[in-house]
């Protein structure tokens, strides 16, 4: 049945006619800030040799990922609000879901990798350069993308094996897994269980790495003899901790709890935050709270 479908209707774009222009301007502005901010972070890291360390290598990759992550959703959402075109082709919907799941999952693993990097730097400073070698850092980035690819392949394959009939409306502004599942006329219990198991294990697993790493980091910082050392150690972690709280807080609410597919309006609001707002905030958080990046920016 699903092979006969040529397009879906993204019903999440429904809004008062007077707000369409406002939303398109808002989304386009946020996207420009996201791209410019993350490109600036990448350029700063690449041009300053003092920032050629594992920490900033991961930050550069995170900025690249945030540009891709936001680009999957925001440009099309902006045009849809501006032109009122809410249709998306069957293949376009599948592609959007694939890449959104890929970049979203990879970001979760990136944040876990960055937490491990900070754990190694603060808790094992003498072995930091040995453990966090260039080869190991590259393998961690590749492993994050591989994990994201496995998850998005399973999620997209399971979702688009369902049948779709009737109005084919997706009550969302992009082809999210949960929203597409709700639009199906098939029995979706297996798909919901797969989504809960996969997303739950990824979110909980990466969050555990983060929490354990920062648990040891906090203990180590408390045991440092001088206030200056404690302040310096904490300042290197505060930006990352803020990003973690924003990202994991929203995705856990969306995907890692039972009934995550049952509240479309709430899902739309939260999705705007983690697909558009967080990629925009990340470069601001890392530049405004990081002395080394601010110093490089002034140069």
């Amino acid at each position: 049945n699903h092979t006969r479908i040529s397009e879906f209707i993204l019903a999440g774009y429904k809004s008062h006619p007077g707000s369409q222009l406002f939303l398109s301007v808002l989304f386009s502005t946020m996207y420009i800030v996201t791209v410019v901010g993350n490109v600036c972070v990448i350029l700063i890291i690449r041009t300053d040799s003092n920032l050629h360390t594992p920490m900033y290598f991961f930050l550069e990759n995170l900025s690249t990922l945030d540009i891709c992550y936001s680009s999957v959703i925001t440009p099309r959402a902006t045009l849809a609000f501006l032109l009122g075109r809410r249709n998306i082709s069957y293949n376009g919907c599948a592609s959007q879901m694939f890449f959104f799941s890929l970049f979203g999952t990879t970001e979760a693993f990136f944040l876990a990798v960055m937490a491990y990097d900070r754990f190694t730097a603060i808790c094992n400073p003498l072995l930091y350069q040995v453990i966090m070698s260039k080869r190991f850092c590259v393998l961690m980035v590749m492993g994050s993308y591989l994990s994201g690819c496995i998850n998005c392949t399973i999620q997209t394959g399971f979702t688009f094996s369902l049948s779709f009939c009737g109005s084919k409306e997706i009550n969302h502004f992009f082809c999210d897994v949960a929203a597409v599942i709700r639009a199906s006329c098939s029995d979706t219990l297996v798909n919901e269980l797969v989504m809960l198991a996969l997303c739950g294990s990824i979110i909980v697993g990466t969050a555990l790495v983060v929490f354990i790493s920062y648990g040891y980091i906090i203990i180590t910082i408390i045991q440092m003899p001088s206030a200056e050392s404690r302040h310096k150690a904490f300042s290197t972690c505060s930006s990352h901790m803020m990003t973690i709280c924003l990202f994991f807080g929203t995705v856990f609410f969306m995907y890692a709890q039972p009934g995550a597919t049952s509240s479309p309006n709430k899902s739309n609001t939260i999705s705007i935050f983690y697909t558009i707002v967080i990629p925009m905030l990340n470069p601001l958080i890392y530049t405004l709270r990081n002395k080394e990046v601010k110093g490089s920016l002034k140069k």
Side-chain angles (χ1 to χ4, degrees):
N1 184 30
H2 63 273
T3 57
R4 298 195 296 270
I5 294 174
S6 59
E7 63 182 14
F8 292 103
I9 299 172
L10 295 171
Y13 289 115
K14 291 178 180 177
S15 61
H16 190 275
S19 65
Q20 296 283 351
L21 180 59
F22 170 76
L23 289 172
S24 65
V25 172
L26 178 63
F27 275 40
S28 60
T29 302
M30 294 172 75
Y31 180 66
I32 291 170
V33 173
T34 298
V35 173
V36 172
N38 282 290
V39 167
C40 285
V41 170
I42 294 169
L43 291 176
I44 290 168
I45 293 171
R46 290 195 174 185
T47 55
D48 191 340
S49 59
N50 293 324
L51 301 181
H52 293 175
T53 63
M55 173 182 172
Y56 292 104
F57 171 74
F58 293 130
L59 179 55
E60 180 185 349
N61 278 276
L62 179 65
S63 293
T64 304
L65 187 67
D66 277 338
I67 293 173
C68 298
Y69 188 40
S70 184
S71 297
V72 173
I73 307 297
T74 315
R76 196 190 188 286
T78 302
L79 290 175
F81 278 121
L82 183 63
L83 304 176
R85 294 177 183 172
R86 298 187 288 118
N87 297 347
I88 184 170
S89 68
Y90 181 84
N91 292 332
C93 188
S95 298
Q96 189 181 59
M97 180 185 294
F98 180 89
F99 287 108
F100 168 74
S101 299
L102 169 64
F103 297 131
T105 305
T106 304
E107 179 143 349
F109 280 96
F110 265 16
L111 293 175
V113 167
M114 292 173 75
Y116 177 75
D117 171 71
R118 291 299 83 208
F119 159 76
T120 307
I122 293 174
C123 300
N124 297 294
L126 298 179
L127 297 175
Y128 179 68
Q129 295 297 332
V130 177
I131 296 173
M132 302 304 293
S133 64
K134 185 174 181 179
R135 181 175 179 274
F136 183 67
C137 292
V138 171
L139 287 175
M140 296 250 265
V141 170
M142 291 175 62
S144 298
Y145 274 105
L146 178 62
S147 301
C149 191
I150 292 171
N151 177 58
C152 69
T153 300
I154 295 173
Q155 292 280 18
T156 306
F158 264 82
T159 302
F160 282 88
S161 66
L162 295 170
S163 296
F164 300 91
C165 48
S167 65
K168 305 183 291 294
E169 280 198 352
I170 299 174
N171 195 357
H172 216 310
F173 66 95
F174 70 96
C175 289
D176 189 23
V177 177
V180 176
I181 287 175
R182 284 195 300 268
S184 173
C185 53
S186 304
D187 182 4
T188 62
L189 177 61
V190 173
N191 293 74
E192 292 185 37
L193 291 175
V194 168
M195 186 188 78
L196 182 63
L198 274 176
C199 295
S201 59
I202 290 169
I203 295 168
V204 172
T206 52
L208 275 176
V209 172
V210 170
F211 293 147
I212 292 172
S213 297
Y214 274 100
Y216 280 106
I217 287 170
I218 291 170
I219 293 172
T220 304
I221 291 175
I222 292 173
Q223 294 174 345
M224 288 179 177
S226 68
E228 184 180 351
S229 299
R230 290 193 296 270
H231 177 74
K232 184 178 180 181
F234 182 76
S235 65
T236 63
C237 302
S238 58
S239 300
H240 186 236
M241 290 173 67
M242 190 178 300
T243 301
I244 286 169
C245 292
L246 289 172
F247 182 82
F248 281 103
T250 52
V251 297
F252 181 85
F253 186 86
M254 282 291 297
Y255 301 108
Q257 58 173 329
T261 65
S262 62
S263 181
N265 294 330
K266 192 180 294 183
S267 297
N268 287 344
T269 303
I270 296 172
S271 296
I272 290 174
F273 190 77
Y274 73 82
T275 58
I276 300 174
V277 177
I278 290 179
M280 179 187 70
L281 291 178
N282 279 349
L284 298 176
I285 291 171
Y286 280 105
T287 53
L288 295 178
R289 297 184 60 85
N290 189 302
K291 290 183 179 179
E292 292 177 320
V293 174
K294 285 193 291 185
S296 299
L297 185 60
K298 288 178 182 178
K299 292 179 189 178

